[in-house]
Amino acid sequence: MYPNRLKKIIAVTAGVSVLGSMLAACGDAGAGDKGKDAASGEAGAKPFAGKRITAYLGNTGTTDIIKAQLPEFEAKTGMKVEIQNFANDQLSQKITVQMTSGSAEPDVAMIRPAQEVKLFNKNGWMQPLDEYVKKNPGFEFEDLTKAALDSTTDNGKVVAIPMVTEQAMFYYRKDLLEKAGLSVPKTLDELEAAVKKLHDPANGIYGFVARGQKAALVTQLSSFIYSEGGDFQKGDTAAVNTPEALKGINRYVNLLKNYGPPGVLNMDWPQALGVFSQGKAAFFTDTSSILPSVIDKDKSTVVDKIGYAMFPAGSAGSKPYNNTAWGMMMNARTANKDAAWAFIEWATGKEIMTKAQAMGVPGARNSIWNDPGANAKFPKEFIPIIQESIKAAVGHDRPMVINVGEARDMIGDVVVKGILNEDVKTAADKANKDFQALIDKEKSSK
């Protein structure tokens, strides 16, 4: 079954790529003629025969699929693709070194949009892809979720195509709620009441657990702020100390300070997940992308007792983040733009993404989330939550600036100070001032 399925996928996606590359008709000379040959259905057209491109890829399940199917893509198109695989942090460093030196290599690369789009695009390293997606209807660009595209769009230009997404997920213990006669909280007020009722440290149960480390917590804090009507910034204006943002921050502080486990300030997601997986917390908020670890029966004692729910609504409704964890960009300096686009179109197309999601890699296409056959790796009750979350989501989970790490430290420090019983408003005012200075500095350097 697998070889036949593989051939079918390659035939469809390569055909789409070839046609798309013909229509793109910009970049390397002669691609239009090659595309015309392929579109006419001539056997062995190989529109990119003799072309060679380089792709830098990270360590994801999607990368494994791309590598497995690449030989048939190459046979269909005639191009040769050199894939260089890097650990995630190494990938970012390698791309930065290449781009800083003015290199035309790699032709395409996987990036982490939330961390890299602002810097890469500011430096002119990313080729805008708007014309390519407009001229290739077979790519089904409109199938990509708006929230995912928000992460890969900068200054009104699409600069990368979403591949892997992650959403805020609200995990809870079904058995504890049932025993206490509680319904699943639908609002943040209900959540705080349920957390208070289920908090029983004397018997080894904490009401709530989430990230408490300064920088790491910011992504999970975001949904609390959005759901109260706030954000980290409004355009070029810092908004960390607005009433809406403060309401969201105070909720997060209250939950961790009064109902969280000991040592929460040292917890990133693995430590917080460890508390939840060992049955020591009633509620846990973190990203959907850690689901494989959440339901790992070798590491969790409560797999069969876990429920999934929409992020609880605040005064602005339920506004969980939903952003692109991995996307694919084209090097603005590549001399092989049509071939590079053909690869991007194939690697991020519906067929490859369907196969990746069937392996448990959450993608960015609405149609795939509505395809039961592509979601067998996810718990049944998990899928409706993702579908609902996509509709209400905010397309970023951190400040949208170039120096993201610096901004996360500033904002995360407000929560840390709150947990340490310092005044949250005072800390937020300072963070807002520092964050505004950072925004102004970045703006003046453009």
Side-chain angles (χ1 to χ4, degrees), residues 414 417-418 421-428:
V414 180
K417 283 187 164 57
N421 290 320
E422 295 186 35
D423 185 71
V424 170
K425 177 66 167 59
T426 301

Side-chain angles (χ1 to χ4, degrees), residues 16-135:
V16 169
S17 300
V18 167
L19 177 60
S21 299
M22 177 195 73
L23 294 172
C26 59
D28 38 346
D33 289 341
K34 294 170 183 174
K36 183 179 179 180
D37 290 340
S40 68
E42 295 176 11
K46 297 183 185 301
F48 296 104
K51 285 289 182 184
R52 178 180 291 275
I53 68 169
T54 300
Y56 285 5
L57 305 183
N59 289 327
T60 71
T62 307
T63 296
D64 294 338
I65 294 171
I66 290 171
K67 291 167 71 175
Q69 299 192 176
L70 184 63
E72 294 188 48
F73 173 75
E74 291 179 323
K76 186 74 177 180
T77 62
M79 78 168 76
K80 291 295 182 184
V81 182
E82 180 189 351
I83 289 181
Q84 296 189 24
N85 212 166
F86 299 94
N88 297 346
D89 288 341
Q90 291 177 326
L91 175 61
S92 181
Q93 294 171 7
K94 182 67 174 177
I95 295 171
T96 300
V97 169
Q98 290 294 103
M99 298 297 174
T100 302
S101 69
S103 176
E105 185 179 294
D107 300 275
V108 301
M110 285 176 63
I111 62 165
R112 293 176 292 181
Q115 290 290 125
E116 294 156 347
V117 156
K118 285 290 183 183
L119 175 63
F120 287 11
N121 197 38
K122 173 180 177 290
N123 289 338
W125 299 344
M126 309 180 83
Q127 173 66 38
L129 302 175
D130 303 77
E131 293 304 312
Y132 289 95
V133 298
K134 286 179 183 175
K135 294 178 179 178

